[in-house]
Amino acid sequence: MKVVLNLMTALLLCGSLAACGTDSGSSDQSGNIVTSGSGPSFSLRVTDAPIDYAVSVVLRFTEVRLRNTNGNWTSHIFNTPKSIDMLQLQGTKTADLLIDKLVDVGNYDEIRLLVDGAPMANYVLDAGGMAELMVPSGSSSGLKIKGDFSVLKNLPTSLVMDLDLRQSITMAGMSGKYILNPVVRLVNDKDVGHIRGTVDPALLSSMPACSDTDPNSYNAAYVYAGHNVTPDDIDQSSPQSLAPFATTSINYDNAILSYLFEAAFLPAGDYTVALTCNAHVEDLDDGNDDLKFFNIQNVTVMVSDTLFL
């Protein structure tokens, strides 16, 4: 049984999105190889949606590339690769990839994030220990984020790449390794809002649909684009028009002494939120999983606002 969830790739580019610097062999104060751009400053940060079974998921980034609509590439190479534990970036937490870099004004259609291809450079730490996380073509062509976007004159841009690990990681057969097929949303952080909800622990242990009576296991929130959506499971082998837009875990938060979920960096708009306490039955290759939902509700996310449920 696969215990890792994987959603359909959702890519949304909002507002004026931007790019990285170029590689010329010179170094900036952050130790990154760049050449000067002629346009406004650009920042790129990364966040993730968590998975339930892992302690750490580490990606070692080596380079950021940007392609303009003329087909020309520029790149920003890190002198020292940036190893980031994605599981430390839950909710609204982010890690910096590029901060205030000058970029050229223009239209762009793709960003790529390259990772280190060395053995165990990228890995998952779970109950069984460390296992390699394989990223197909990750060190050559990188994680590909396609979409049309523009860099405007005199307008600084801050971009957030939301890598949904719950949607992206599966077991690589019987190899004992994991494989990353990235599901990414790319948004301008000035165009998004967040959902933060608390959950009664009784609902996570006593619902007939729950897998067990432990309120700490197999709990997740699924977020669908639009109101009045009938929640459905995930079928990677047959793309679904009603696939979840985002997912997140439901975990006990010691700071508020309650069970909490956070769905962050959502573009403003209408959504349907549904909770489940038997998320472990999700099978990415099977469209008929016995996934049960409860507390289904319509919500509307506003720009720069946190909606509390």
Side-chain angles (χ1 to χ4, degrees):
M1 172 69 68
K2 297 181 180 177
V3 296
V4 189
L5 301 182
N6 189 327
L7 303 182
M8 304 311 303
T9 299
L11 176 64
L12 178 61
L13 296 166
C14 300
S16 299
L17 304 187
C20 50
T22 57
D23 172 18
S24 69
S26 62
S27 299
D28 66 9
Q29 294 180 350
S30 301
N32 303 314
I33 302 174
V34 297
T35 55
S36 297
S38 61
S41 67
F42 166 76
S43 298
L44 176 63
R45 296 174 291 145
V46 61
T47 188
D48 91 287
I51 48 180
D52 304 317
Y53 62 89
V55 177
S56 296
V57 175
V58 174
L59 290 172
R60 184 182 294 172
F61 296 97
T62 60
E63 182 180 353
V64 178
R65 294 178 183 172
L66 173 72
R67 187 178 73 178
N68 64 26
T69 52
N70 294 323
N72 298 320
W73 289 93
T74 58
S75 65
H76 191 111
I77 302 172
F78 305 132
N79 275 348
T80 301
K82 297 188 176 185
S83 292
I84 298 176
D85 183 356
M86 302 299 295
L87 287 193
Q88 299 303 312
L89 307 178
Q90 300 179 23
T92 57
K93 295 179 181 179
T94 62
D96 299 335
L97 285 179
L98 302 173
I99 295 297
D100 293 333
K101 305 303 177 186
L102 295 181
V103 300
D104 292 331
V105 171
N107 298 316
Y108 298 84
D109 58 15
E110 186 172 335
I111 290 177
R112 295 190 182 187
L113 304 180
L114 275 67
V115 298
D116 196 333
M120 297 301 293
N122 310 291
Y123 64 88
V124 174
L125 178 62
D126 59 20
M130 289 179 59
E132 185 170 6
L133 177 58
M134 299 185 298
V135 185
S137 303
S139 61
S140 55
S141 57
L143 311 183
K144 302 175 183 178
I145 309 172
K146 295 182 179 292
D148 296 324
F149 53 96
S150 299
V151 179
L152 303 181
K153 186 176 181 179
N154 299 322
L155 182 63
T157 302
S158 180
L159 191 68
V160 176
M161 185 200 78
D162 188 349
L163 176 61
D164 196 330
L165 296 178
R166 180 182 294 274
Q167 307 178 44
S168 303
I169 298 179
T170 56
M171 292 296 298
M174 302 299 292
S175 66
K177 301 178 181 180
Y178 293 92
I179 188 167
L180 179 73
N181 293 306
V183 175
V184 180
R185 290 188 297 111
L186 194 63
V187 296
N188 190 311
D189 66 2
K190 295 181 176 61
D191 298 326
V192 298
H194 317 290
I195 298 173
R196 197 169 194 258
T198 56
V199 183
D200 186 341
L203 295 177
L204 303 176
S205 58
S206 62
M207 292 287 292
C210 290
S211 297
D212 55 34
T213 58
D214 182 358
N216 295 304
S217 61
Y218 312 130
N219 308 313
Y222 282 40
V223 181
Y224 300 82
H227 280 170
N228 300 314
V229 175
T230 300
D232 198 2
D233 60 359
I234 306 158
D235 183 7
Q236 186 181 29
S237 63
S238 178
Q240 301 161 287
S241 60
L242 296 180
F245 185 79
T247 68
T248 187
S249 296
I250 302 171
N251 296 308
Y252 189 77
D253 189 301
N254 289 316
I256 64 173
L257 303 179
S258 181
Y259 286 86
L260 174 72
F261 67 90
E262 292 183 287
F265 301 104
L266 297 172
D270 295 333
Y271 297 91
T272 301
V273 177
L275 309 184
T276 182
C277 51
N278 71 330
H280 74 300
V281 306
E282 184 76 86
D283 187 335
L284 307 184
D285 298 320
D286 184 355
N288 297 307
D289 303 326
D290 191 23
L291 199 62
K292 306 298 183 183
F293 295 98
F294 61 94
N295 274 31
I296 302 169
Q297 57 184 310
N298 291 330
V299 301
T300 298
V301 173
M302 309 294 290
V303 170
S304 301
D305 184 46
T306 299
L307 175 64
F308 293 92
L309 301 179

mmCIF file of all heavy atoms in Angstrom, residues 202-239:
data_model
loop_
_atom_site.group_PDB
_atom_site.id
_atom_site.type_symbol
_atom_site.label_atom_id
_atom_site.label_comp_id
_atom_site.label_asym_id
_atom_site.label_seq_id
_atom_site.Cartn_x
_atom_site.Cartn_y
_atom_site.Cartn_z
ATOM 1 N N ALA A 202 -11.803 14.801 18.738
ATOM 2 C CA ALA A 202 -12.807 13.729 18.715
ATOM 3 C C ALA A 202 -13.146 13.328 17.286
ATOM 4 O O ALA A 202 -13.430 12.157 17.007
ATOM 5 C CB ALA A 202 -14.061 14.165 19.461
ATOM 6 N N LEU A 203 -13.089 14.291 16.376
ATOM 7 C CA LEU A 203 -13.388 13.988 14.981
ATOM 8 C C LEU A 203 -12.300 13.134 14.340
ATOM 9 O O LEU A 203 -12.551 12.417 13.366
ATOM 10 C CB LEU A 203 -13.552 15.279 14.184
ATOM 11 C CG LEU A 203 -14.734 16.170 14.551
ATOM 12 C CD1 LEU A 203 -14.711 17.447 13.726
ATOM 13 C CD2 LEU A 203 -16.044 15.419 14.342
ATOM 14 N N LEU A 204 -11.092 13.188 14.889
ATOM 15 C CA LEU A 204 -9.967 12.462 14.316
ATOM 16 C C LEU A 204 -9.809 11.069 14.907
ATOM 17 O O LEU A 204 -8.929 10.312 14.482
ATOM 18 C CB LEU A 204 -8.674 13.254 14.528
ATOM 19 C CG LEU A 204 -8.676 14.674 13.960
ATOM 20 C CD1 LEU A 204 -7.394 15.393 14.313
ATOM 21 C CD2 LEU A 204 -8.883 14.652 12.456
ATOM 22 N N SER A 205 -10.659 10.731 15.872
ATOM 23 C CA SER A 205 -10.530 9.414 16.506
ATOM 24 C C SER A 205 -11.839 8.634 16.571
ATOM 25 O O SER A 205 -11.823 7.414 16.716
ATOM 26 C CB SER A 205 -9.984 9.574 17.929
ATOM 27 O OG SER A 205 -10.827 10.402 18.710
ATOM 28 N N SER A 206 -12.964 9.329 16.430
ATOM 29 C CA SER A 206 -14.247 8.658 16.607
ATOM 30 C C SER A 206 -15.089 8.577 15.348
ATOM 31 O O SER A 206 -16.126 7.925 15.345
ATOM 32 C CB SER A 206 -15.053 9.374 17.701
ATOM 33 O OG SER A 206 -15.329 10.722 17.329
ATOM 34 N N MET A 207 -14.661 9.249 14.295
ATOM 35 C CA MET A 207 -15.444 9.191 13.050
ATOM 36 C C MET A 207 -15.426 7.769 12.502
ATOM 37 O O MET A 207 -14.381 7.104 12.506
ATOM 38 C CB MET A 207 -14.859 10.147 12.012
ATOM 39 C CG MET A 207 -15.010 11.619 12.363
ATOM 40 S SD MET A 207 -16.708 12.214 12.177
ATOM 41 C CE MET A 207 -16.875 12.114 10.405
ATOM 42 N N PRO A 208 -16.551 7.268 12.010
ATOM 43 C CA PRO A 208 -16.577 5.906 11.445
ATOM 44 C C PRO A 208 -15.584 5.719 10.302
ATOM 45 O O PRO A 208 -15.109 4.611 10.066
ATOM 46 C CB PRO A 208 -18.019 5.761 10.954
ATOM 47 C CG PRO A 208 -18.802 6.727 11.765
ATOM 48 C CD PRO A 208 -17.892 7.879 12.027
ATOM 49 N N ALA A 209 -15.262 6.813 9.617
ATOM 50 C CA ALA A 209 -14.353 6.709 8.472
ATOM 51 C C ALA A 209 -12.889 6.659 8.867
ATOM 52 O O ALA A 209 -12.033 6.366 8.029
ATOM 53 C CB ALA A 209 -14.577 7.887 7.529
ATOM 54 N N CYS A 210 -12.577 6.933 10.132
ATOM 55 C CA CYS A 210 -11.175 6.984 10.544
ATOM 56 C C CYS A 210 -10.543 5.600 10.512
ATOM 57 O O CYS A 210 -11.194 4.579 10.772
ATOM 58 C CB CYS A 210 -11.051 7.564 11.949
ATOM 59 S SG CYS A 210 -11.420 9.333 12.037
ATOM 60 N N SER A 211 -9.246 5.583 10.228
ATOM 61 C CA SER A 211 -8.527 4.319 10.129
ATOM 62 C C SER A 211 -8.296 3.684 11.487
ATOM 63 O O SER A 211 -8.154 2.470 11.596
ATOM 64 C CB SER A 211 -7.181 4.541 9.426
ATOM 65 O OG SER A 211 -7.386 4.994 8.110
ATOM 66 N N ASP A 212 -8.222 4.510 12.540
ATOM 67 C CA ASP A 212 -7.990 4.001 13.890
ATOM 68 C C ASP A 212 -8.496 5.035 14.882
ATOM 69 O O ASP A 212 -9.071 6.050 14.506
ATOM 70 C CB ASP A 212 -6.504 3.676 14.110
ATOM 71 C CG ASP A 212 -5.592 4.862 13.808
ATOM 72 O OD1 ASP A 212 -6.010 6.014 14.053
ATOM 73 O OD2 ASP A 212 -4.462 4.643 13.329
ATOM 74 N N THR A 213 -8.269 4.779 16.151
ATOM 75 C CA THR A 213 -8.731 5.695 17.197
ATOM 76 C C THR A 213 -7.638 6.666 17.635
ATOM 77 O O THR A 213 -7.825 7.401 18.598
ATOM 78 C CB THR A 213 -9.215 4.902 18.417
ATOM 79 O OG1 THR A 213 -8.143 4.066 18.894
ATOM 80 C CG2 THR A 213 -10.418 4.045 18.056
ATOM 81 N N ASP A 214 -6.510 6.662 16.934
ATOM 82 C CA ASP A 214 -5.403 7.563 17.260
ATOM 83 C C ASP A 214 -5.608 8.887 16.530
ATOM 84 O O ASP A 214 -5.561 8.938 15.301
ATOM 85 C CB ASP A 214 -4.083 6.930 16.841
ATOM 86 C CG ASP A 214 -2.876 7.792 17.206
ATOM 87 O OD1 ASP A 214 -3.074 8.891 17.743
ATOM 88 O OD2 ASP A 214 -1.735 7.356 16.933
ATOM 89 N N PRO A 215 -5.824 10.000 17.242
ATOM 90 C CA PRO A 215 -6.077 11.279 16.568
ATOM 91 C C PRO A 215 -4.837 11.855 15.892
ATOM 92 O O PRO A 215 -4.934 12.883 15.216
ATOM 93 C CB PRO A 215 -6.544 12.188 17.714
ATOM 94 C CG PRO A 215 -5.912 11.615 18.933
ATOM 95 C CD PRO A 215 -5.888 10.127 18.720
ATOM 96 N N ASN A 216 -3.676 11.203 16.072
ATOM 97 C CA ASN A 216 -2.437 11.719 15.499
ATOM 98 C C ASN A 216 -2.043 11.048 14.190
ATOM 99 O O ASN A 216 -0.970 11.319 13.650
ATOM 100 C CB ASN A 216 -1.288 11.556 16.501
ATOM 101 C CG ASN A 216 -1.485 12.392 17.748
ATOM 102 O OD1 ASN A 216 -1.644 13.605 17.676
ATOM 103 N ND2 ASN A 216 -1.512 11.747 18.899
ATOM 104 N N SER A 217 -2.882 10.189 13.662
ATOM 105 C CA SER A 217 -2.461 9.427 12.490
ATOM 106 C C SER A 217 -3.438 9.579 11.326
ATOM 107 O O SER A 217 -4.648 9.665 11.517
ATOM 108 C CB SER A 217 -2.318 7.941 12.835
ATOM 109 O OG SER A 217 -3.558 7.399 13.259
ATOM 110 N N TYR A 218 -2.867 9.633 10.122
ATOM 111 C CA TYR A 218 -3.598 9.553 8.847
ATOM 112 C C TYR A 218 -4.583 10.694 8.628
ATOM 113 O O TYR A 218 -5.633 10.515 8.026
ATOM 114 C CB TYR A 218 -4.340 8.214 8.746
ATOM 115 C CG TYR A 218 -3.496 7.016 9.080
ATOM 116 C CD1 TYR A 218 -3.933 6.051 9.980
ATOM 117 C CD2 TYR A 218 -2.243 6.846 8.488
ATOM 118 C CE1 TYR A 218 -3.148 4.944 10.290
ATOM 119 C CE2 TYR A 218 -1.444 5.740 8.793
ATOM 120 C CZ TYR A 218 -1.908 4.802 9.690
ATOM 121 O OH TYR A 218 -1.131 3.714 9.993
ATOM 122 N N ASN A 219 -4.235 11.882 9.108
ATOM 123 C CA ASN A 219 -5.140 13.017 8.999
ATOM 124 C C ASN A 219 -4.625 14.023 7.975
ATOM 125 O O ASN A 219 -3.438 14.366 7.963
ATOM 126 C CB ASN A 219 -5.293 13.717 10.351
ATOM 127 C CG ASN A 219 -5.656 12.749 11.458
ATOM 128 O OD1 ASN A 219 -6.545 11.926 11.289
ATOM 129 N ND2 ASN A 219 -4.962 12.842 12.585
ATOM 130 N N ALA A 220 -5.512 14.528 7.126
ATOM 131 C CA ALA A 220 -5.125 15.505 6.116
ATOM 132 C C ALA A 220 -6.300 16.376 5.737
ATOM 133 O O ALA A 220 -7.464 15.990 5.894
ATOM 134 C CB ALA A 220 -4.574 14.796 4.870
ATOM 135 N N ALA A 221 -5.979 17.567 5.261
ATOM 136 C CA ALA A 221 -6.980 18.479 4.698
ATOM 137 C C ALA A 221 -6.724 18.592 3.200
ATOM 138 O O ALA A 221 -5.589 18.792 2.767
ATOM 139 C CB ALA A 221 -6.888 19.846 5.356
ATOM 140 N N TYR A 222 -7.790 18.429 2.413
ATOM 141 C CA TYR A 222 -7.720 18.571 0.966
ATOM 142 C C TYR A 222 -8.417 19.873 0.595
ATOM 143 O O TYR A 222 -9.524 20.158 1.071
ATOM 144 C CB TYR A 222 -8.424 17.413 0.261
ATOM 145 C CG TYR A 222 -7.641 16.121 0.197
ATOM 146 C CD1 TYR A 222 -6.883 15.670 1.265
ATOM 147 C CD2 TYR A 222 -7.682 15.339 -0.953
ATOM 148 C CE1 TYR A 222 -6.169 14.479 1.194
ATOM 149 C CE2 TYR A 222 -6.975 14.146 -1.042
ATOM 150 C CZ TYR A 222 -6.219 13.721 0.040
ATOM 151 O OH TYR A 222 -5.523 12.549 -0.043
ATOM 152 N N VAL A 223 -7.803 20.650 -0.290
ATOM 153 C CA VAL A 223 -8.351 21.933 -0.726
ATOM 154 C C VAL A 223 -8.597 21.867 -2.235
ATOM 155 O O VAL A 223 -7.685 21.551 -3.007
ATOM 156 C CB VAL A 223 -7.391 23.091 -0.397
ATOM 157 C CG1 VAL A 223 -7.991 24.422 -0.837
ATOM 158 C CG2 VAL A 223 -7.072 23.112 1.102
ATOM 159 N N TYR A 224 -9.840 22.153 -2.636
ATOM 160 C CA TYR A 224 -10.237 22.087 -4.043
ATOM 161 C C TYR A 224 -10.596 23.480 -4.542
ATOM 162 O O TYR A 224 -11.184 24.279 -3.807
ATOM 163 C CB TYR A 224 -11.444 21.158 -4.225
ATOM 164 C CG TYR A 224 -11.192 19.740 -3.785
ATOM 165 C CD1 TYR A 224 -11.292 19.381 -2.441
ATOM 166 C CD2 TYR A 224 -10.842 18.763 -4.708
ATOM 167 C CE1 TYR A 224 -11.044 18.073 -2.027
ATOM 168 C CE2 TYR A 224 -10.601 17.454 -4.307
ATOM 169 C CZ TYR A 224 -10.697 17.121 -2.969
ATOM 170 O OH TYR A 224 -10.442 15.825 -2.566
ATOM 171 N N ALA A 225 -10.267 23.768 -5.781
ATOM 172 C CA ALA A 225 -10.600 25.065 -6.370
ATOM 173 C C ALA A 225 -12.097 25.135 -6.658
ATOM 174 O O ALA A 225 -12.674 24.227 -7.262
ATOM 175 C CB ALA A 225 -9.804 25.278 -7.655
ATOM 176 N N GLY A 226 -12.742 26.212 -6.176
ATOM 177 C CA GLY A 226 -14.167 26.413 -6.407
ATOM 178 C C GLY A 226 -15.027 25.996 -5.238
ATOM 179 O O GLY A 226 -14.611 25.204 -4.384
ATOM 180 N N HIS A 227 -16.235 26.510 -5.182
ATOM 181 C CA HIS A 227 -17.204 26.148 -4.153
ATOM 182 C C HIS A 227 -17.988 24.897 -4.565
ATOM 183 O O HIS A 227 -18.103 24.569 -5.741
ATOM 184 C CB HIS A 227 -18.191 27.295 -3.923
ATOM 185 C CG HIS A 227 -17.650 28.374 -3.051
ATOM 186 N ND1 HIS A 227 -18.291 29.589 -2.877
ATOM 187 C CD2 HIS A 227 -16.536 28.431 -2.262
ATOM 188 C CE1 HIS A 227 -17.601 30.341 -2.044
ATOM 189 N NE2 HIS A 227 -16.532 29.672 -1.663
ATOM 190 N N ASN A 228 -18.518 24.213 -3.554
ATOM 191 C CA ASN A 228 -19.436 23.078 -3.744
ATOM 192 C C ASN A 228 -18.819 21.937 -4.552
ATOM 193 O O ASN A 228 -19.511 21.241 -5.305
ATOM 194 C CB ASN A 228 -20.732 23.548 -4.421
ATOM 195 C CG ASN A 228 -21.457 24.604 -3.607
ATOM 196 O OD1 ASN A 228 -21.615 24.471 -2.395
ATOM 197 N ND2 ASN A 228 -21.885 25.664 -4.275
ATOM 198 N N VAL A 229 -17.515 21.748 -4.376
ATOM 199 C CA VAL A 229 -16.834 20.638 -5.044
ATOM 200 C C VAL A 229 -17.046 19.368 -4.235
ATOM 201 O O VAL A 229 -16.908 19.364 -3.000
ATOM 202 C CB VAL A 229 -15.334 20.927 -5.188
ATOM 203 C CG1 VAL A 229 -14.605 19.713 -5.780
ATOM 204 C CG2 VAL A 229 -15.105 22.161 -6.051
ATOM 205 N N THR A 230 -17.398 18.285 -4.900
ATOM 206 C CA THR A 230 -17.471 16.984 -4.234
ATOM 207 C C THR A 230 -16.057 16.424 -4.144
ATOM 208 O O THR A 230 -15.444 16.136 -5.181
ATOM 209 C CB THR A 230 -18.365 16.012 -5.020
ATOM 210 O OG1 THR A 230 -19.686 16.554 -5.109
ATOM 211 C CG2 THR A 230 -18.419 14.655 -4.323
ATOM 212 N N PRO A 231 -15.501 16.292 -2.937
ATOM 213 C CA PRO A 231 -14.095 15.877 -2.823
ATOM 214 C C PRO A 231 -13.863 14.487 -3.370
ATOM 215 O O PRO A 231 -14.704 13.603 -3.246
ATOM 216 C CB PRO A 231 -13.829 15.945 -1.314
ATOM 217 C CG PRO A 231 -15.160 15.878 -0.670
ATOM 218 C CD PRO A 231 -16.121 16.510 -1.618
ATOM 219 N N ASP A 232 -12.725 14.320 -3.989
ATOM 220 C CA ASP A 232 -12.369 13.059 -4.611
ATOM 221 C C ASP A 232 -10.941 12.712 -4.245
ATOM 222 O O ASP A 232 -10.167 13.574 -3.809
ATOM 223 C CB ASP A 232 -12.515 13.178 -6.135
ATOM 224 C CG ASP A 232 -12.596 11.825 -6.824
ATOM 225 O OD1 ASP A 232 -12.582 10.800 -6.108
ATOM 226 O OD2 ASP A 232 -12.670 11.792 -8.058
ATOM 227 N N ASP A 233 -10.579 11.433 -4.430
ATOM 228 C CA ASP A 233 -9.211 11.019 -4.163
ATOM 229 C C ASP A 233 -8.341 11.384 -5.364
ATOM 230 O O ASP A 233 -8.760 12.061 -6.286
ATOM 231 C CB ASP A 233 -9.147 9.521 -3.844
ATOM 232 C CG ASP A 233 -9.674 8.682 -4.995
ATOM 233 O OD1 ASP A 233 -10.100 9.263 -6.014
ATOM 234 O OD2 ASP A 233 -9.661 7.455 -4.887
ATOM 235 N N ILE A 234 -7.111 10.917 -5.343
ATOM 236 C CA ILE A 234 -6.123 11.287 -6.348
ATOM 237 C C ILE A 234 -5.820 10.088 -7.224
ATOM 238 O O ILE A 234 -5.581 8.995 -6.721
ATOM 239 C CB ILE A 234 -4.828 11.773 -5.673
ATOM 240 C CG1 ILE A 234 -5.132 12.901 -4.688
ATOM 241 C CG2 ILE A 234 -3.807 12.214 -6.708
ATOM 242 C CD1 ILE A 234 -4.071 13.073 -3.643
ATOM 243 N N ASP A 235 -5.836 10.296 -8.518
ATOM 244 C CA ASP A 235 -5.496 9.234 -9.452
ATOM 245 C C ASP A 235 -4.449 9.777 -10.410
ATOM 246 O O ASP A 235 -4.764 10.451 -11.385
ATOM 247 C CB ASP A 235 -6.728 8.761 -10.215
ATOM 248 C CG ASP A 235 -6.416 7.600 -11.150
ATOM 249 O OD1 ASP A 235 -5.278 7.087 -11.097
ATOM 250 O OD2 ASP A 235 -7.297 7.220 -11.934
ATOM 251 N N GLN A 236 -3.186 9.494 -10.113
ATOM 252 C CA GLN A 236 -2.097 10.030 -10.914
ATOM 253 C C GLN A 236 -2.102 9.468 -12.336
ATOM 254 O O GLN A 236 -1.685 10.127 -13.279
ATOM 255 C CB GLN A 236 -0.755 9.719 -10.241
ATOM 256 C CG GLN A 236 0.453 10.354 -10.917
ATOM 257 C CD GLN A 236 1.734 9.994 -10.217
ATOM 258 O OE1 GLN A 236 1.843 8.939 -9.623
ATOM 259 N NE2 GLN A 236 2.705 10.877 -10.289
ATOM 260 N N SER A 237 -2.578 8.244 -12.496
ATOM 261 C CA SER A 237 -2.532 7.615 -13.816
ATOM 262 C C SER A 237 -3.586 8.163 -14.764
ATOM 263 O O SER A 237 -3.491 7.991 -15.968
ATOM 264 C CB SER A 237 -2.719 6.097 -13.671
ATOM 265 O OG SER A 237 -4.000 5.801 -13.126
ATOM 266 N N SER A 238 -4.605 8.827 -14.223
ATOM 267 C CA SER A 238 -5.673 9.388 -15.053
ATOM 268 C C SER A 238 -6.041 10.760 -14.505
ATOM 269 O O SER A 238 -6.817 10.871 -13.552
ATOM 270 C CB SER A 238 -6.908 8.479 -15.041
ATOM 271 O OG SER A 238 -7.952 9.051 -15.809
ATOM 272 N N PRO A 239 -5.449 11.818 -15.056
ATOM 273 C CA PRO A 239 -5.678 13.165 -14.517
ATOM 274 C C PRO A 239 -7.150 13.491 -14.353
ATOM 275 O O PRO A 239 -7.973 13.193 -15.208
ATOM 276 C CB PRO A 239 -5.019 14.070 -15.578
ATOM 277 C CG PRO A 239 -3.986 13.198 -16.207
ATOM 278 C CD PRO A 239 -4.584 11.813 -16.227
#
